[in-house]
């Protein structure tokens, strides 16, 4: 027989889930201590994302910068695997939530994950600067380390489609303005620009910052941990994913594959051959 008292059991039950995010009782909902009815109509959606992931409310300037990053990464058309998958899923007879989940599930290290890697790289360079190295040397050492550990492609730089990703310079200009207004330090923007310079010197050609490199600057400036950069990209891209899944649903189409049906893939397996007649023999 258990020696547990009713109080022990009550404590065990109430400790089962612990969260500092939400507090509730009948008729009352508080996020991080703030009543939901006071938040509704008073804070923006980015402000809410900040409160939920950071536990505090952002300043107006911080929320505006976060919003800019979220707006910038919303969509990149059906060339992006996540968007194509959302559209294909929408033709399979599934609901919008299934189409969205299928699409979000392919956001990983290679597609959508460069922002997380870029934040980690920027943090590594900051740590070197805090250790006494100047910007140029810390960047060079950070890049050497990145290449040794993860290969020659520096996350957040280069693009397969855009010679200059139009999203990056605009975001960087907002970071510069926020730094001038004292909202952020501007340190991560300087690091990302120095990475571009170092790559130019090393490769003899410009490998410009892309959307992930630029949003990573914002997430790092705003103090988001590297893994949250991936989560925030997922939130942002989910808007594009939803829009494409909904558009495709309305366009119709059944079982739409990744290429038109008249096209076929390249087969490079064995020649056509008969199944051996003695398969079950010794
Ligand atoms: C993106 C791409 C594969 C493009 O490559 P490319 O095809 O142009 O060139 P490659 O043939 O790989 O390289 C040719 C020569 O340039 C050198 N080179 C190129 N990039 C270099 C680099 N970063 N660091 C050093 N060197 C570089 C390379 O070393 C080589 O030099 P060499 O060996 O001397 O001949 C490449 O940059 C890359 O991996 N970037 C890092 C990962 C990254 O940030 N991913 C996010 C991209 S944004 C995104 O995903 C969001 C999206 O936009 C998606 C969408 O597009 O839908 C959306 O919104 O959804």
């Amino acid at each position: 027989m258990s020696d547990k008292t009713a109080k022990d059991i009550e404590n065990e039950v109430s400790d089962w889930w612990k969260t500092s995010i939400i507090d509730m009782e009948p008729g009352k909902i508080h996020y991080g201590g703030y009543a939901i009815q006071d938040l509704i109509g008073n804070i923006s959606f980015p402000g809410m994302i900040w409160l939920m992931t950071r536990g505090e409310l952002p300043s107006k300037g911080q929320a505006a910068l976060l919003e800019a990053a979220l707006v910038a990464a919303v969509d990149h058309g059906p060339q992006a695997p996540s968007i194509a998958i959302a559209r294909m899923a929408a033709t399979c007879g599934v609901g919008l939530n299934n189409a969205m989940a299928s699409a979000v599930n392919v956001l990983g290290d290679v597609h959508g994950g460069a922002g997380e890697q870029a934040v980690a790289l920027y943090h590594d360079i900051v740590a070197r600067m805090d250790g006494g190295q100047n910007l140029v040397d810390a960047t060079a050492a950070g890049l050497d380390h990145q290449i040794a550990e993860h290969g020659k492609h520096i996350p957040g730089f280069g693009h397969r489609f855009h010679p200059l990703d139009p999203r990056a310079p605009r975001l960087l200009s907002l970071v510069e303005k926020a730094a001038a207004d004292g909202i952020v330090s501007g340190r991560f923007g300087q690091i990302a620009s120095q990475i571009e310079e170092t790559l130019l010197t090393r490769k003899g050609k410009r490998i410009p910052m892309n959307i992930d490199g630029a949003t990573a600057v914002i997430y790092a400036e705003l103090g988001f941990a590297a893994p949250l950069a991936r989560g925030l990209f997922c939130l942002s891209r989910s808007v594009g994913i939803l829009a494409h899944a909904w558009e495709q649903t309305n366009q119709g189409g059944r079982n739409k594959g990744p290429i038109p049906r008249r096209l076929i893939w390249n087969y490079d397996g064995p020649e056509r051959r008969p199944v051996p007649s003695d398969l079950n023999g010794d």
Side-chain angles (χ1 to χ4, degrees):
M1 193 161 144
S2 166
D3 294 337
K4 282 184 182 168
T5 64
K7 190 73 193 156
D8 289 338
I9 292 169
E10 195 185 308
N11 285 342
E12 195 180 333
V13 171
S14 64
D15 278 353
W16 188 258
W17 298 117
K18 260 194 174 173
T19 174
S20 54
I21 297 172
I22 183 167
D23 175 27
M24 233 161 64
E25 57 183 281
K28 291 188 178 153
I29 304 170
H30 287 79
Y31 295 143
Y34 297 109
I36 185 65
Q37 62 273 20
D38 296 339
L39 294 169
I40 297 170
N42 285 321
I43 68 162
S44 64
F45 192 52
M48 193 63 177
I49 293 170
W50 187 299
L51 175 62
M52 295 299 278
T53 54
R54 308 278 290 270
E56 296 298 335
L57 285 171
S59 69
K60 267 200 172 141
Q62 289 171 322
L65 203 52
L66 174 59
E67 184 170 29
L70 293 170
V71 165
V74 155
D75 190 15
H76 202 255
Q79 253 195 1
S82 52
I83 299 291
I85 285 166
R87 298 194 73 114
M88 284 191 278
T91 70
C92 294
V94 301
L96 283 178
N97 59 316
N98 307 102
M100 291 179 74
S102 305
V104 170
N105 255 333
V106 300
L107 295 173
D109 283 347
V110 176
H111 175 36
E116 175 178 1
Q117 297 152 9
V119 173
L121 171 63
Y122 302 159
H123 281 158
D124 176 58
I125 294 171
V126 156
R128 291 171 195 277
M129 290 171 72
D130 289 345
Q133 280 187 309
N134 66 35
L135 174 64
V136 174
D137 292 345
T139 302
L143 290 182
D144 288 343
H145 179 71
Q146 173 75 27
I147 291 164
E149 293 287 312
H150 304 290
K152 67 179 181 179
H153 287 99
I154 303 303
F157 296 82
H159 202 281
R160 65 193 164 89
F161 187 75
H162 303 293
L164 180 65
D165 187 332
R167 301 165 287 189
R170 171 68 179 148
L171 289 174
L172 259 277
S173 73
L174 293 177
V175 171
E176 278 164 25
K177 181 167 182 324
D181 293 343
I183 294 163
V184 295
S185 73
R187 210 176 180 199
F188 293 95
Q190 287 163 3
I191 287 172
S193 299
Q194 183 56 45
I195 290 176
E196 260 188 359
E197 287 308 310
T198 306
L199 286 176
L200 172 62
T201 309
R202 288 186 180 184
K203 309 279 307 183
K205 62 174 180 183
R206 194 163 281 284
I207 300 172
M209 198 181 310
N210 60 40
I211 177 71
D212 291 321
T215 51
V217 167
I218 291 187
Y219 297 143
E221 291 281 0
L222 293 176
F224 285 94
L228 276 176
R230 184 182 300 207
L232 292 168
F233 181 87
C234 291
L235 282 181
S236 166
R237 187 50 59 90
S238 289
V239 177
I241 286 170
L242 171 62
H244 280 274
W246 178 233
E247 183 182 62
Q248 186 64 55
T249 301
N250 287 319
Q251 283 176 4
R254 293 164 67 85
N255 274 345
K256 205 166 171 182
I259 47 173
R261 275 178 207 161
R262 68 191 156 71
L263 300 177
I264 207 79
W265 56 91
N266 286 327
Y267 174 72
D268 65 354
E271 291 291 316
R272 292 177 187 187
R273 49 189 167 162
V275 176
S277 55
D278 61 345
L279 263 186
N280 294 323
D282 292 327

